[in-house]
Amino acid sequence: MSVYSMTGYASGQQALAAGAEDAPSWKNAHHRLGLELRSVNSRFLDLGFRLSDDLRQHEPALRALLNQRLKRGKVELRAYLQSQGDDTVADPPPRLLQRLASVQDQVRVWLPDAAGLSVADVLRVAGGGEPMDDERTADALFALAKTVLDDFVAAREREGERLVQLIRERVAQLRKLAAAAAPLVPEAVQAQKQRFLARWQEALTAGGPQVAPEAAQDRALAEATAFAIRIDVAEELGRLTAHLDEIDAVLKKGGEVGKRLDFLIQELHREANTLGSKSAALELTRISVDMKVLIEQMREQVQNIE
């Protein structure tokens, strides 16, 4: 199953003829129907619609269509219906002009000072020509919406594949850092043990016969053991590796994985923080910092996954 990004864009247009059953070509079409879909990341599915007035009644059906295919993201659908002719403005029907003249006369009976209708007013009322057939417009709108939605989902899938590739690259880098960190702890313990022994040897020399050599060595070994327990990060590295394995499994399974991945990223960050707090060597601190950088990069990518 694919992994989908919450970021995507798609658009489409379709020619419509007003009233006629046989729609003419694009150049001779009376109207142009356009639809755009765009989205960014969001915690939930947040749908927004920007529809022209003659398409606003179709919002509930369009909302239901999007809900069937999309799960997360802030999605905006924009649809419009524009009149268009060859190179001239379409002539308003004579019957409409007669009706407008009659209405204007009636208005002036009661409001003598009312301004007369302008050419722009008439064209705006006329809508550029014959009225559109609502049923045919609805059929064309939903056919176009389904086509654009298919392109939109495909675009989100392609972006999702890119995000998966970026995340897997960082998972591989984290595994290398974890492998590099594993041998550093025994080395740090051994170095600290030698420092403890050196200190107790100095104390033994300064204290003279009052301090038994066996006691000094036992105390040094005990201190070294306590130090080893305090800085041991084997458990953190084990959990970190387990989280990386789970991320690989989730990406391979696909589907709605964004929230699951976000939780795993939080767990990775916790282990990297603990690794840094237990660090007893400069190199281990650097590894912890590098891990945090990679994990933060992964977080940015995961926040865009559905």
Side-chain angles (χ1 to χ4, degrees), residues 152-166:
F152 180 72
V153 171
R156 285 170 51 128
E157 183 178 7
R158 290 192 298 271
E159 179 66 13
E161 292 175 356
R162 188 184 71 84
L163 294 177
V164 168
Q165 182 60 33
L166 292 174

Side-chain angles (χ1 to χ4, degrees), residues 200 204 208-218:
W200 282 103
L204 180 63
Q210 291 84 1
V211 181
E214 295 80 5
Q217 185 172 1
D218 290 343

Side-chain angles (χ1 to χ4, degrees), residues 5-185:
S5 169
M6 286 188 283
T7 302
Y9 176 83
S11 65
Q13 295 181 344
Q14 182 174 334
L16 293 178
E21 287 295 327
D22 52 340
S25 64
W26 172 264
K27 181 177 179 182
N28 297 321
H30 295 161
H31 291 81
R32 180 179 61 185
L33 179 65
L35 191 143
E36 292 181 355
L37 271 173
R38 65 181 73 224
S39 68
V40 294
N41 61 333
S42 176
R43 189 175 179 182
F44 305 103
L45 181 60
D46 181 8
L47 301 179
F49 295 86
R50 298 177 59 189
L51 307 176
S52 57
D53 292 339
D54 40 12
L55 299 177
R56 197 172 302 280
Q57 69 270 24
H58 302 299
E59 179 178 330
L62 290 171
R63 183 180 297 274
L65 179 65
L66 295 184
N67 275 314
Q68 293 174 2
R69 302 286 301 275
L70 308 176
K71 304 303 179 183
R72 291 179 66 197
K74 184 177 177 61
V75 183
E76 180 182 271
L77 184 150
R78 177 175 176 263
Y80 55 89
L81 186 62
Q82 293 180 339
S83 62
Q84 89 170 17
D86 294 337
D87 292 315
T88 60
V89 177
D91 296 333
R95 181 178 298 179
L96 176 63
L97 295 176
Q98 292 174 0
R99 179 59 181 161
L100 289 176
S102 175
V103 170
Q104 179 175 246
D105 292 340
Q106 294 179 26
V107 170
R108 284 183 168 174
V109 169
W110 296 94
L111 301 172
D113 297 330
L117 289 171
S118 66
V119 174
D121 293 333
V122 173
L123 291 177
R124 184 163 54 250
V125 173
E130 300 177 17
M132 293 298 299
D133 183 278
D134 288 341
E135 184 177 350
R136 292 178 59 249
T137 300
D139 291 342
L141 175 64
F142 289 111
L144 180 60
K146 290 177 181 178
T147 300
V148 173
L149 183 56
D150 287 340
D151 294 341
F152 180 72
V153 171
R156 285 170 51 128
E157 183 178 7
R158 290 192 298 271
E159 179 66 13
E161 292 175 356
R162 188 184 71 84
L163 294 177
V164 168
Q165 182 60 33
L166 292 174
I167 292 172
R168 283 178 172 160
E169 290 175 359
R170 282 151 182 78
V171 166
Q173 295 176 38
L174 284 171
R175 291 187 186 278
K176 291 181 180 179
L177 290 174
L184 294 178
V185 173

